[in-house]
């Protein structure tokens, strides 16, 4: 592994961005020749790197990474959650997407969340979807792995048994949630005694997170890994652990949920066609419904294609255009996208060239205000738009291996620490993914919402694991956590590389800007992490063009790999604990 010469990288940054005031020493891109892995946590990256070095494929490395992430970044993803994964096969050049999204239990009804506030629904048994991640690991390993399944858990097992240090991110997030409770004994957050005992000091009067840097063990998790090694994913979907999952859901101390053993036994990962959009001679491919990711990223890019974006990633004109494209994409997303096993989504029509040109024609020099959805060609169900997004714990993994394979996976338990309940004896947290459904099944005028709860349905997602091809070859692997902001983060990373010529790390270091059909959000610069720039000046210029502007944190977790003739170039997100590994 080597780093790009700092001087060269800074010169590129300065040349590319005129409003940039000064560049502190920022993270630099890493280059490798043979293989690369980028994750949101150094221990997870090390596990992936180790597996690649031992001749594992990207699929083998993914299992090693995911099992470590579930231990050391438990707030974001794990065995109790779900994921979407895009796979590029180095032998055939084929792209496959794997839908391991959590499913609503068969007992779920449309009115599941009606009348509930987000916190109430989040911290309950009702929010827990049937997990997909364990089966995904197995399916992708079966189809694309080279290493023995038994050998994939070594790093996670060692860390779980011998201990690892709690990160500052984990401790801070535990404390932030504890602060929302009335008291240490009257708790909604960490109401579950198992999670409370694991993540906190357990005090009834002065409860606080286990401090950052403390070395902890998770023997239950190690036992779960042992069961996975022996029985495969069935260890989670049937038997003792399945019974523990169902018990944790059905006896939730806040509101019991309705997941059953039958729901777990019936869970399947679905292989779906990738959704691709042509953009400046590239094919930008990702996950179709139930994710809105590839469609919205594709619409943003397809709308931008007709414009000259200039040469400045933070230039007023470009930020304006990117915001308008975001508005238009989110208007369609909110109306049309739901699980295609239940509702008809005009997938091709939403990316139709003429349709996107008609949408682009709505853009002027001033902010368009709230965009209305368009009418893409093709069939769709008569639905009304979903009013609110309540998405908010997720992680992105990008891997390329020596065999020419590439993997882009966004993995989640939805909100920070999922629904806050740890499976007794399992050592992992349950998700709250079902809060990604629309809380209301109908609009104010009685139209059904595409993303309403239905039994066995998968909630709409914004996760956008992406692989970009040029002439059928991989040129970029990208994706991010961030709830509905994922779409903007991912699209911006692609434009930063393809249009502005930035390397992956520079692309990540650029402050974010986006509009989800509300206000135009600008990221305040973070010293040592993002480019410095005059955010107030940019805000004022946009306000003069009619934009409602908000300035704040836009905490992406991008993991980006560029494939070049000279090898791999990687960028990790230092807004979280991202690192690049490989050789
Ligand atoms: O599937 C989704 O879109 C959300 N559940 C993802 C949540 C997320 O990214 C939270 N991250 N910071």
């Amino acid at each position: 592994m080597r780093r790009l010469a700092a001087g060269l990288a800074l010169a590129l940054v300065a040349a590319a961005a005129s409003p940039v005031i000064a560049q502190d020493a920022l993270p630099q891109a890493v280059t490798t020749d043979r293989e690369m892995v980028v994750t949101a946590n150094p221990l997870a990256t090390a596990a992936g790197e180790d597996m690649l070095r031992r001749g594992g494929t990207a699929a083998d490395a993914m299992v090693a990474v995911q099992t470590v992430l579930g231990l050391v970044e438990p707030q974001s993803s794990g065995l109790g959650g779900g994921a979407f994964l895009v796979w590029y096969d180095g032998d055939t050049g084929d792209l496959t997407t794997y839908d391991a999204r959590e499913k609503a239990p068969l007992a779920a009804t449309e009115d599941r969340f009606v009348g509930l506030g987000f916190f109430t629904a989040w911290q309950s048994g009702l929010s827990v979807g049937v997990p997909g991640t364990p089966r995904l690991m197995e399916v992708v390993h079966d189809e694309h792995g080279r290493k023995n399944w038994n050998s994939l858990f070594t790093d996670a097992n060692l860390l779980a048994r011998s201990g690892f240090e709690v990160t500052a991110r984990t401790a801070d997030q535990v404390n932030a949630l504890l602060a929302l409770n009335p008291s240490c004994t009257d708790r909604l957050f960490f109401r579950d005694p198992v999670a409370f005992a694991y993540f906190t000091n357990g005090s009834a009067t002065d409860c606080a997170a286990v401090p950052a840097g403390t070395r902890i063990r998770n023997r239950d998790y190690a036992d779960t890994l042992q069961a996975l090694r022996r029985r495969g994913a069935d260890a989670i979907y049937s038997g003792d652990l399945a019974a523990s999952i169902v018990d944790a859901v059905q006896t939730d101390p806040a509101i019991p949920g309705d997941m059953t053993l039958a729901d777990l036994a019936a869970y399947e990962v679905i292989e779906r066609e990738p959704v691709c959009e042509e953009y400046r001679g590239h094919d930008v491919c990702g996950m179709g419904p139930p994710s809105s990711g590839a469609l919205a990223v594709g619409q943003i890019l397809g709308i931008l294609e007709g414009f000259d974006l200039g040469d400045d990633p933070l230039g007023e004109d470009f930020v304006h255009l990117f915001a308008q494209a975001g508005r238009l994409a989110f208007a369609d997303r909110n109306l049309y996208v739901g699980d295609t096993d239940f509702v008809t989504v005009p997938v091709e029509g939403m990316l139709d060239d003429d349709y996107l040109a008609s949408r682009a024609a709505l853009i002027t020099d001033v902010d368009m205000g709230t965009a209305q959805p368009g009418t893409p060609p093709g069939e769709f169900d008569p639905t009304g738009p979903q009013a609110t997004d309540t998405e908010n714990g997720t992680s992105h993994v990008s891997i390329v291996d020596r065999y020419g394979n590439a993997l882009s996976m966004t993995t989640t338990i939805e909100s920070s620490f999922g629904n806050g309940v740890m499976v007794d004896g399992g050592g992992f947290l349950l998700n709250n993914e079902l809060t990604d459904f629309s809380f209301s099944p109908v609009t104010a005028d009685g139209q059904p919402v595409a993303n309403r709860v239905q039994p066995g349905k998968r909630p709409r997602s914004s996760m956008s694991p992406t692989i970009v091809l040029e002439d059928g070859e991989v040129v970029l692997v990208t994706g991010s956590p961030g709830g509905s902001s994922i779409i903007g983060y991912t699209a911006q990373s692609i434009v930063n590389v393809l249009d502005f010529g930035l390397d992956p790390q520079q692309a990540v270091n650029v402050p974010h800007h986006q509009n989800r059909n509300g206000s135009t959000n600008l990221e305040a610069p973070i010293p040592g992490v993002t480019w410095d720039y005059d955010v107030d000046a940019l805000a004022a210029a946009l306000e003069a063009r009619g934009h409602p502007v908000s300035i704040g944190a836009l905490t992406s977790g991008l993991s980006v790999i560029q494939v070049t003739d000279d090898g791999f170039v990687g960028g990790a997100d230092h807004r979280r604990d991202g690192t690049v590994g490989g050789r």
Side-chain angles (χ1 to χ4, degrees):
M1 177 190 341
R2 59 183 189 272
R3 295 189 177 270
L4 281 185
L8 172 67
L10 286 177
L12 288 171
V13 168
S18 55
V20 172
I21 298 167
Q23 292 297 330
D24 295 317
L26 291 179
Q28 304 295 313
V30 173
T31 64
T32 65
D33 301 322
R34 192 166 194 177
E35 52 215 14
M36 181 173 273
V37 50
V38 190
T39 85
N41 179 277
L43 294 169
T45 297
E49 184 177 292
D50 185 43
M51 189 54 64
L52 292 172
R53 189 183 308 121
R54 288 162 44 198
T57 66
D60 299 317
M62 176 277 286
V63 178
V65 165
Q66 178 63 74
T67 46
V68 172
L69 281 176
L71 178 70
V72 301
E73 198 199 26
Q75 66 269 34
S76 296
S77 75
L79 299 173
F84 294 123
L85 186 151
V86 187
W87 177 269
Y88 175 86
D89 191 297
D91 284 336
T92 62
D94 290 342
L95 264 188
T96 313
T97 61
Y98 294 85
D99 169 356
R101 185 69 163 166
E102 297 91 331
K103 287 178 71 167
L106 285 175
T109 53
E110 285 191 2
D111 57 357
R112 190 174 191 82
F113 297 123
V114 171
L116 296 184
F118 178 72
F119 278 19
T120 309
W122 167 18
Q123 296 295 318
S124 82
L126 294 175
S127 65
V128 188
V130 185
T133 300
R135 191 66 83 196
L136 178 73
M137 296 192 314
E138 181 178 74
V139 167
V140 173
H141 172 262
D142 281 354
E143 292 184 10
H144 306 293
R146 281 182 179 231
K147 291 295 201 191
N148 193 304
W149 172 256
N150 278 321
S151 70
L152 306 180
F153 306 90
T154 312
D155 284 49
N157 184 50
L158 196 69
L159 289 164
R161 290 206 192 276
S162 60
F164 62 95
E165 288 184 7
V166 175
T167 66
R169 273 186 68 74
T170 302
D172 289 351
Q173 287 179 38
V174 171
N175 282 328
L177 293 181
L178 288 175
L180 299 173
N181 289 325
S183 74
C184 293
T185 47
D186 181 7
R187 301 187 309 266
L188 179 58
F189 297 92
F190 298 101
R191 65 195 176 287
D192 164 41
V194 181
F196 187 68
Y198 181 70
F199 288 109
T200 80
N201 59 9
S203 167
T205 51
D206 200 11
C207 52
V210 174
T214 310
R215 206 173 171 80
I216 60 168
R217 294 185 171 87
N218 187 339
R219 292 194 181 87
D220 287 344
Y221 192 76
D223 291 346
T224 296
L225 296 177
Q226 186 65 5
L228 271 171
R229 285 171 67 170
R230 288 213 189 97
R231 292 188 55 213
D234 283 351
I236 305 287
Y237 294 96
S238 65
D240 292 349
L241 282 166
S244 272
I245 292 172
V246 165
D247 185 59
V249 171
Q250 293 188 357
T251 64
D252 190 287
I255 308 173
D258 47 11
M259 190 193 297
T260 64
L261 285 173
D263 288 317
L264 281 164
Y267 187 84
E268 282 178 354
V269 169
I270 303 174
E271 293 183 29
R272 301 186 188 270
E273 284 296 309
V275 167
C276 300
E277 169 68 4
E278 269 182 58
Y279 182 65
R280 305 205 200 280
H282 297 81
D283 293 302
V284 178
C285 298
M287 191 73 222
S291 185
S292 60
L295 280 169
V297 169
Q299 283 201 324
I300 290 173
L301 298 178
I303 289 167
L304 292 178
E305 176 131 38
F307 294 90
D308 174 359
L309 305 186
D311 58 5
D312 182 350
L314 292 169
E316 176 195 329
D317 286 340
F318 169 61
V319 175
H320 168 71
L321 282 174
F322 196 77
Q324 304 307 290
R327 280 192 180 281
L328 291 163
F330 269 80
D332 275 6
R333 163 195 184 267
N334 289 354
L335 181 63
Y336 294 115
V337 185
D339 182 352
T340 37
D341 292 346
F342 290 78
V343 292
T344 309
V345 180
V347 173
E348 283 179 24
M350 288 173 75
L351 296 178
D352 179 82
D353 288 346
D354 293 338
Y355 174 64
L356 290 180
S358 74
R359 299 291 276 165
L362 300 172
I363 299 178
T364 67
D365 284 346
V366 294
D367 181 40
M368 68 175 64
T370 305
Q372 297 306 314
T375 311
E379 278 185 39
F380 49 87
D381 291 338
T383 50
Q386 183 172 334
T388 50
D389 272 323
T390 45
E391 301 158 1
N392 189 355
T394 302
S395 213
H396 186 81
V397 179
S398 293
I399 312 178
V400 288
D401 65 27
R402 68 180 74 173
Y403 311 105
N405 304 307
L407 175 155
S408 184
M409 175 176 78
T410 315
T411 175
T412 183
I413 51 172
E414 211 307 280
S415 296
S416 208
F417 301 95
N419 90 328
V421 172
M422 225 164 165
V423 176
D424 200 7
F428 59 90
L429 289 158
L430 294 173
N431 69 82
N432 69 300
E433 217 70 47
L434 301 190
T435 56
D436 277 358
F437 280 119
S438 172
F439 277 32
S440 173
V442 291
T443 59
D445 61 358
Q447 289 284 335
V449 174
N451 186 35
R452 64 192 178 280
V453 181
Q454 293 179 271
K457 193 177 179 183
R458 300 173 189 227
R460 185 192 68 194
S461 173
S462 302
M463 296 194 291
S464 310
T466 303
I467 295 183
V468 181
L469 307 176
E470 186 176 15
D471 299 327
E473 304 282 338
V474 177
V475 293
L476 197 68
V477 184
T478 184
S480 178
S484 56
S485 298
I486 291 172
I487 289 163
Y489 299 150
T490 305
Q492 194 188 0
S493 71
I494 295 167
V495 172
N496 282 348
V497 173
L498 296 188
D499 289 271
F500 297 119
L502 302 182
D503 74 39
Q505 188 62 58
Q506 293 165 347
V508 175
N509 297 347
V510 175
H512 294 304
H513 52 86
Q514 57 173 268
N515 189 309
R516 291 170 288 165
N517 209 14
S519 53
T520 297
N521 312 129
L522 302 181
E523 184 180 23
I526 312 171
V529 174
T530 70
W531 296 10
D532 193 7
Y533 75 120
D534 191 343
V535 65
D536 295 320
L538 180 58
L542 291 167
E543 277 167 356
R545 294 167 77 153
H547 287 245
V549 176
S550 72
I551 302 173
L554 288 171
T555 313
S556 59
L558 284 154
S559 298
V560 187
I561 301 176
Q562 187 177 20
V563 183
T564 74
D565 291 342
D566 298 328
F568 305 118
V569 187
D573 206 325
H574 292 246
R575 297 171 185 83
R576 302 193 185 209
D577 298 333
T579 56
V580 181
R583 61 179 182 137

